Amino acid sequence: MNAIVSRLKHMVVEVIPTAVFFFIAFEVIAFTRDLMLETPGTFTSTLTATIIGALVVAKVGVVVDMLPFMNRFPGKPLIYTVVWKAGFYFLATLILRYLEHVIPFVIESGDFFMANRQLFGQEGAWPRFWFVQIWLVVLFFMYCTFREFGRVLGRERVLRMFFRSIDNDPR
């Protein structure tokens, strides 16, 4: 029983920084999207979706990072791994977000090809779609960069660098 509790505690501690990062990131995306669309007052529904989205992405991110093909460039400069992982996450979100948009049309029409025609014919939907995707690629790049720095430098060193004075600190 102690092993299960210990493992759960480790998983929660591992997910928290990623969840916080993506919660803040998704809130920034939602806020800028609402500013662009001039639709204030959607905070409550967006907050719930943001919390759920951040938790899901955090858990999926931790699981995906354990896949063997994600650590494809050991010994190479970090940019290889950062671009590889950010590209993978970008492609995954592109597919998932596309499916999220096309599925309601498939349910409505019953035909995948008709649903695609309806989706691609929607006026104004694609600028919003790409607006979010561009934000996501930037955020995934930042996330992967921070994760790789943390992996290479070590968690304690990164925390010390970010949250303690580094003047005259020989460590």
Side-chain angles (χ1 to χ4, degrees):
M1 186 64 166
N2 284 342
I4 294 171
V5 171
S6 176
R7 181 76 178 132
L8 284 172
K9 181 181 175 185
H10 175 73
M11 283 180 16
V12 168
V13 168
E14 195 173 334
V15 165
I16 287 173
T18 304
V20 169
F21 175 85
F22 281 107
F23 171 74
I24 293 168
F26 292 164
E27 277 299 315
V28 169
I29 290 172
F31 181 70
T32 54
R33 182 197 60 220
D34 291 347
L35 284 175
M36 296 297 293
L37 297 175
E38 298 177 0
T39 57
T42 58
F43 179 75
T44 308
S45 63
T46 303
L47 182 63
T48 305
T50 303
I51 291 169
I52 293 169
L55 290 170
V56 168
V57 168
K59 184 58 183 165
V60 168
V62 168
V63 170
V64 167
D65 278 347
M66 291 189 288
L67 297 172
F69 66 86
M70 288 305 285
N71 299 309
R72 200 176 157 113
F73 303 103
K76 297 263 189 191
L78 288 182
I79 191 69
Y80 286 82
T81 302
V82 168
V83 169
W84 171 255
K85 287 182 177 183
F88 178 83
Y89 292 137
F90 173 76
L91 185 61
T93 59
L94 181 69
I95 292 167
L96 290 173
R97 290 193 67 242
Y98 165 74
L99 290 173
E100 177 184 23
H101 284 76
V102 79
I103 285 174
F105 291 112
V106 170
I107 292 170
E108 179 183 308
S109 70
D111 179 15
F112 183 75
F113 296 107
M114 175 64 82
N116 272 304
R117 267 187 252 134
Q118 288 176 316
L119 179 62
F120 286 109
Q122 252 189 338
E123 187 73 27
W126 292 107
R128 287 190 298 274
F129 180 87
W130 288 110
F131 168 83
V132 172
Q133 279 305 124
I134 290 167
W135 258 115
L136 286 173
V137 76
V138 170
L139 293 168
F140 283 135
F141 190 80
M142 288 173 48
Y143 168 73
C144 292
T145 300
F146 288 133
R147 286 284 297 219
E148 290 305 307
F149 278 148
R151 184 182 61 78
V152 171
L153 297 174
R155 180 184 175 133
E156 297 305 318
R157 185 171 181 194
V158 171
L159 289 172
R160 193 170 57 245
M161 289 169 66
F162 270 88
F163 297 108
R164 291 185 51 203
S165 174
I166 56 174
D167 295 335
N168 301 322
D169 188 0
R171 293 181 255 161

